[in-house]
């Protein structure tokens, strides 16, 4: 039995992923979309698409009634939830079943059993699954939680009992900081999950995050599909995942996978699920040093690495199990081949605390062939799409497979170097630095690696020598790809008697920089305005340009973007803006001594008042954006003249704080 038509209650990359498998199986697909997603890739890929509401998730992708109505009206038999949104909402599952539809996932009872971390851990203790020491009780008063933290012993971890993804999670090293951390965790948990209750656990000094993919059916069968290591995290969110886990032994794998299967059996689990363990790696991986952390009752973002090492399609398994079939393979039939690594490519700025970077993807290209392995790209965007403030800023997942870990690492480095994105800031250089990190490449990983070495991982990307010159040449319009049989293209702009200088103006740090470009012939050019006249040779080596000259030897692509040029080389994009002198003149002198919003959001708390004297680095307010809290600090000393009010909804670049010069300190001589 298989379905003839399903609805995907999700968007972006995972919606596209489900659509591909369903269509390969001959199953019709129905997409849902909000205003912001009207022209998105998942809408274009599906056989049918249904509008479900405005852009905010609360008005669209979290509207269970709209989604179920869309499924019924489109003739769908089942709903695939993807991940996030309503995927782990037991009330949604109940509503789907009540409407006579099939939910492609576990039962509502299984989700409820694992949905709250405290209750899930009590259940796992009864099932004989090891659980990390901590307080998982119902009492939520500050005095109780602080007392339990003292009993457990610092450092401790405050965790939202609902949800995951690092939201509502705070590490506390000092008892004096517990109350502040608890308040922040509760606010974030309330915003993200509608539940501000927390649990408190012992913080493991050198933790690794290793999870086991499990799969069950409605006939009592449960298997595991080996483990994944997800230890490379920032702000408790996964960045790079791999399978198998580095350094794991057969003994540890047997203990961990056995515990995972036992956990799934304890709740009669059906469908794809992940048992997450926290592992004490201070003395390597030991069979008695891992503890149950939580279960994700859905398909995971990182499931492609499991697919790469097993050769299986987990979405196909989901569809077959939901349709009533038995698991396609028994435990002994599930293969384990090679090594796979996944990197999450985001539109974000690591140098600015990983703030999401909203913008248009003017150019987007992914590799199809990589060194020492194979590559797979999971994405929900195309060139020309916009990274919206309403949703997760993921651009793509790069997934590679090699015969062993070293070849997989080489394949990932190759994939990152060949990825081309222009139009927004991305974490590509950060990911490349992680792949090259000595500890990670040696397999010595833990969840604190990124935080410990953050300064070394976020090194400003230097503009390649020759990139500016190539941008100037491209902006001049004189660089032309040779046309077969046409000798005149190479002489465009050439003058034999008087060297013509074609003007180019770029915007640099708010100022107009003027250059002149002359054609010398024989693929040679001269650029004035760089302090001295520079002569260069530029050859077209498809699909790139090879620019050489004094101190310059660069192979790169150029891409025209609105009001500028992007130079693409080794996985990085350097953008040069074409100057608009009229706009610059209008803006000159208009910037006051003020602090603006780095992105759209809601002001959750204001820490200072008008008239307060503040110091550089002092927290002024807390801005919630994309369900994460961001502390906005003073860029310099000053006196607060104006400040936005609490609960305000702000747009990107809208004013938050205006300063005036602080009065002189008359107490000093």
């Amino acid at each position: 039995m298989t379905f003839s038509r399903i609805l995907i209650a999700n968007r972006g990359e995972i919606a596209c992923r489900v659509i591909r498998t369903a269509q390969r199986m001959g199953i019709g697909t129905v997409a849902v979309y909000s205003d912001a997603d009207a022209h998105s890739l998942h809408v274009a890929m599906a056989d049918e698409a249904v509008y479900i509401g405005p852009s905010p998730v609360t008005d669209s992708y979290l509207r269970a009634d709209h989604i179920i109505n869309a499924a019924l009206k489109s003739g769908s038999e089942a709903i695939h939830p993807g991940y996030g949104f309503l995927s782990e909402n037991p009330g949604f599952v109940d509503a789907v079943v009540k409407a006579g539809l099939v939910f492609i996932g576990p039962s509502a009872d299984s989700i409820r059993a694992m949905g709250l971390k405290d209750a899930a851990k009590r259940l796992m203790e009864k099932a004989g699954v090891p659980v990390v020491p901590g307080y998982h009780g119902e009492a939520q008063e500050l005095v109780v939680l602080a007392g339990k933290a003292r009993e457990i012993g610092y450092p401790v971890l405050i965790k939202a009992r609902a949800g995951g993804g690092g939201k509502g999670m705070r590490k506390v090293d000092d008892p004096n900081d517990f109350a502040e951390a608890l308040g922040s965790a509760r606010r974030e948990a309330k915003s993200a999950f509608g539940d501000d209750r927390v649990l408190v656990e012992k913080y493991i000094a050198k933790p690794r995050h290793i999870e086991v993919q499990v799969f069950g059916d409605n006939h009592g069968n449960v298997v595991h599909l080996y483990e994944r290591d997800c230890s490379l995290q920032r702000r408790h969110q996964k960045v790079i995942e791999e399978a198998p886990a580095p350094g794991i032994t057969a003994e540890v794998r047997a203990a961990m996978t056995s515990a995972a299967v036992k956990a799934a059996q304890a709740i009669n689990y059906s469908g794809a699920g992940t048992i997450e363990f926290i592992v004490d790696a201070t003395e390597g991986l030991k069979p008695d040093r891992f503890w149950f952390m939580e279960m994700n009752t859905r398909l995971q973002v990182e499931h492609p690495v499991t697919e790469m090492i097993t050769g299986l399609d987990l979405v196909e398994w989901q569809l077959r199990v939901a349709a009533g079939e038995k698991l396609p393979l028994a435990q002994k039939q599930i293969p384990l081949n090679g090594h796979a690594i996944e990197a999450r490519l985001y539109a974000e700025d690591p140098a600015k605390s990983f703030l999401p970077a909203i913008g248009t993807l003017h150019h987007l290209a992914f590799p199809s062939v990589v060194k020492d392995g194979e590559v797979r790209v999971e994405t929900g965007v195309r060139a020309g799409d916009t990274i919206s403030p309403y949703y997760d800023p993921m651009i793509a997942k790069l997934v590679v497979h090699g015969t062993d870990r070293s070849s997989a690492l080489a394949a990932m480095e190759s994939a990152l170097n060949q990825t081309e994105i222009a139009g927004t800031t991305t974490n590509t250089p950060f990911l490349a630095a992680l792949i090259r990190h000595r500890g990670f490449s040696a397999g010595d990983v833990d969840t604190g690696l990124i935080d410990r070495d953050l300064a070394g991982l976020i090194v400003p990307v230097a503009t390649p020598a020759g990139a500016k010159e190539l941008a100037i040449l491209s902006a001049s319009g004189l660089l032309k790809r040779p046309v077969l049989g046409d000798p005149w293209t190479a002489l465009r702009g050439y003058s034999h008697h008087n060297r013509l200088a074609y003007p180019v103006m770029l915007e640099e740090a708010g100022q107009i920089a003027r250059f002149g470009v002359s054609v010398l012939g024989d693929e040679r050019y001269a650029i004035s305005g760089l302090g001295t006249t520079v002569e260069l040779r530029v050859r077209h080596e498809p699909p790139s340009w090879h620019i050489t000259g004094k101190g310059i030897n660069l192979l790169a692509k150029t891409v025209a973007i609105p009001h500028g040029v992007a130079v693409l080389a080794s996985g990085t994009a350097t953008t040069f803006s074409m100057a608009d002198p009229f706009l610059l003149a209008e803006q000159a002198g208009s910037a006051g001594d003020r602090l603006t919003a780095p992105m759209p959001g809601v002001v959750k708390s204001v820490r200072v008042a008008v008239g307060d004297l503040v110091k550089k680095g002092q927290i002024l307010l807390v801005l919630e954006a994309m369900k994460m809290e961001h502390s906005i600090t003073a860029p310099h000393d000053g006196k607060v003249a104006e400040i936005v009010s609490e609960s305000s909804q702000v747009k990107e670049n809208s004013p938050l704080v205006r300063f005036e010069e602080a009065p002189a300190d008359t107490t000093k001589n």
Side-chain angles (χ1 to χ4, degrees):
M1 170 188 171
T2 56
F3 302 112
S4 61
R5 194 175 186 81
I6 66 170
L7 179 139
I8 298 96
N10 218 295
R11 64 174 302 279
E13 167 264 324
I14 185 57
C16 296
R17 165 74 187 87
V18 175
I19 290 169
R20 284 199 307 274
T21 291
Q23 291 180 339
R24 178 178 60 77
M25 295 174 67
I27 299 172
T29 56
V30 178
V32 293
Y33 66 93
S34 67
D35 287 332
D37 282 338
H39 304 290
S40 64
L41 180 58
H42 78 279
V43 169
M45 287 178 62
D47 299 309
E48 181 181 344
V50 180
Y51 174 71
I52 54 170
S55 300
V57 294
T58 52
D59 299 327
S60 51
Y61 295 104
L62 291 179
R63 287 296 301 267
D65 54 340
H66 290 187
I67 290 169
I68 292 172
N69 286 338
L72 293 172
K73 290 180 180 179
S74 63
S76 299
E77 301 161 274
I79 294 179
H80 193 300
Y83 47 68
F85 296 140
L86 296 169
S87 62
E88 294 181 281
N89 185 319
F92 177 59
V93 180
D94 285 335
V96 169
V97 174
K98 185 177 179 181
L101 301 166
V102 175
F103 180 76
I104 302 172
S107 67
D109 288 343
S110 292
I111 296 176
R112 287 190 177 94
M114 290 297 191
L116 298 177
K117 293 183 176 68
D118 50 358
K121 289 182 178 180
R122 291 194 294 268
L123 177 62
M124 291 298 98
E125 286 177 319
K126 291 180 181 178
V129 178
V131 175
V132 69
Y135 173 69
H136 312 128
E138 292 294 330
Q140 293 290 301
E141 294 82 3
L142 170 60
V143 64
V144 173
L145 296 175
K148 293 296 181 183
R150 285 193 298 272
E151 291 176 15
I152 296 166
Y154 284 87
V156 298
L157 201 60
I158 299 172
K159 299 172 67 175
R161 76 170 200 161
K167 297 181 178 68
M169 185 181 294
R170 298 291 185 275
K171 179 193 174 191
V172 190
D173 295 296
D174 190 323
N176 295 324
D177 299 330
F178 187 86
E180 172 75 14
L182 176 63
S184 180
R186 279 177 164 165
R187 288 192 301 272
E188 197 166 272
K190 182 69 173 179
S191 173
F193 316 118
D195 185 344
D196 66 357
R197 287 171 290 182
V198 301
L199 50 85
V200 182
E201 291 182 344
K202 177 65 179 174
Y203 181 80
I204 308 301
K206 190 178 180 181
R208 281 178 65 175
H209 179 143
I210 299 178
E211 60 190 31
V212 176
Q213 177 73 60
V214 294
F215 230 106
D217 62 23
N218 295 307
H219 303 275
N221 302 304
V222 177
V223 298
H224 70 79
L225 286 82
Y226 308 106
E227 79 286 343
R228 299 184 288 255
D229 194 302
C230 307
S231 298
L232 280 191
Q233 303 178 8
R234 50 94 180 160
R235 298 182 71 175
H236 305 291
Q237 291 186 314
K238 301 166 187 174
V239 177
I240 290 178
E241 304 98 347
E242 59 182 311
I248 196 166
T249 64
E251 181 185 18
V252 175
R253 175 177 290 137
M256 196 173 289
T257 55
S258 175
V261 169
K262 189 184 298 183
Q265 289 172 332
I267 57 171
N268 299 314
Y269 195 77
S270 175
T274 302
I275 308 296
E276 300 194 350
F277 295 104
I278 189 165
V279 183
D280 184 353
T282 53
E283 299 178 359
L285 300 181
K286 305 290 184 182
D288 60 348
R289 301 299 290 170
F290 68 87
W291 301 277
F292 173 84
M293 187 162 54
E294 63 182 359
M295 181 178 189
N296 287 295
T297 52
R298 53 169 167 80
L299 199 66
Q300 289 279 85
V301 176
E302 58 273 19
H303 77 273
V305 295
T306 295
E307 294 183 323
M308 294 288 257
I309 63 168
T310 61
L312 303 174
D313 185 330
L314 300 194
V315 173
E316 179 179 345
W317 277 38
Q318 284 187 298
L319 294 170
R320 294 192 180 282
V321 166
E325 296 183 20
K326 291 183 179 181
L327 291 176
L329 298 176
Q331 186 65 68
K332 292 183 179 180
Q333 297 175 298
I334 300 172
L336 172 58
N337 298 311
H339 200 95
I341 301 175
E342 174 181 291
R344 302 190 188 190
L345 186 57
Y346 277 94
E348 63 183 11
D349 190 347
K352 295 182 179 178
S353 300
F354 297 93
L355 276 176
I358 298 164
T360 300
L361 301 171
H362 298 301
H363 176 78
L364 183 65
F366 298 110
S368 57
V369 179
V370 294
K371 175 185 177 183
D372 293 338
E374 57 180 310
V375 64
R376 165 178 164 181
V377 179
E378 297 285 347
T379 186
V381 295
R382 302 155 295 186
D385 286 351
T386 298
I387 300 299
S388 162
Y390 296 104
Y391 314 119
D392 184 85
M394 180 185 286
I395 296 173
K397 299 182 308 194
L398 297 181
V399 193
V400 298
H401 180 266
T403 55
D404 53 25
R405 190 169 187 267
S406 61
S407 61
L409 286 168
M412 180 57 76
E413 186 168 10
S414 175
L416 290 168
N417 284 339
Q418 294 181 67
T419 296
E420 301 173 1
I421 303 172
T424 186
T425 304
T426 75
N427 66 340
T428 307
F430 172 72
L431 294 173
L434 274 173
I435 293 297
R436 294 190 299 267
H437 185 277
R438 181 177 299 178
F440 176 66
S441 61
D444 183 15
V445 297
D446 65 84
T447 58
L449 184 149
I450 290 178
D451 286 342
R452 284 195 308 272
D453 297 345
L454 193 58
L457 293 168
I458 306 178
V459 177
V461 179
T463 300
K468 182 176 179 178
E469 289 81 355
L470 187 56
I472 293 169
L473 289 169
S474 180
S476 72
L478 296 173
L479 272 189
K480 293 294 179 181
R481 292 173 173 81
V483 178
L484 188 63
D486 180 5
W488 303 110
T489 54
L491 295 174
R492 178 181 172 85
Y494 176 75
S495 174
H496 183 69
H497 297 289
N498 296 305
R499 183 183 294 180
L500 301 176
Y502 290 80
V504 174
M505 290 189 294
L506 299 183
E507 180 186 338
E508 297 180 333
Q511 302 295 319
I512 296 177
R514 293 175 169 83
F515 308 95
V517 179
S518 301
V519 179
L520 306 180
D522 192 26
E523 301 175 324
R524 294 180 300 115
Y525 301 85
I527 302 177
S528 60
L530 293 168
T532 183
T533 298
V534 177
E535 293 193 7
L536 303 159
R537 185 174 185 181
V538 185
R539 306 189 69 174
H540 186 233
E541 298 181 9
S544 303
W545 295 98
H546 189 185
I547 180 170
T548 55
K550 187 175 182 180
I552 293 174
N553 187 358
L554 177 68
L555 185 68
K557 290 183 182 179
T558 60
V559 177
I561 62 175
H563 312 297
V565 176
V567 177
L568 307 164
S570 301
T572 61
T574 308
T575 301
F576 298 88
S577 298
M578 304 285 287
D580 182 343
F582 298 103
L583 180 60
L584 289 176
E586 181 183 323
Q587 292 175 342
S590 65
D593 194 6
R594 64 187 59 191
L595 191 62
T596 59
M599 61 186 301
V602 177
V603 178
K604 299 301 291 186
S605 67
V606 175
R607 304 290 181 86
V608 296
V610 172
D612 286 355
L613 300 178
V614 297
K615 295 290 185 181
K616 180 180 179 180
Q618 181 179 341
I619 297 177
L620 305 177
L621 55 91
V622 176
L623 182 69
E624 183 192 70
M626 295 190 177
K627 296 191 181 298
M628 298 290 283
E629 291 190 355
H630 307 275
S631 295
I632 305 299
T633 60
H636 50 70
D637 295 353
K639 182 179 180 181
V640 178
E642 296 178 21
I643 189 164
V644 69
S645 59
E646 206 163 276
S647 301
S648 296
Q649 182 90 37
V650 296
K651 298 180 179 179
E652 184 180 12
N653 295 324
S654 62
L656 296 176
V657 185
R658 185 173 66 81
F659 302 97
E660 60 185 42
E661 187 175 350
D665 189 348
T666 57
T667 62
K668 294 181 180 180
N669 294 325

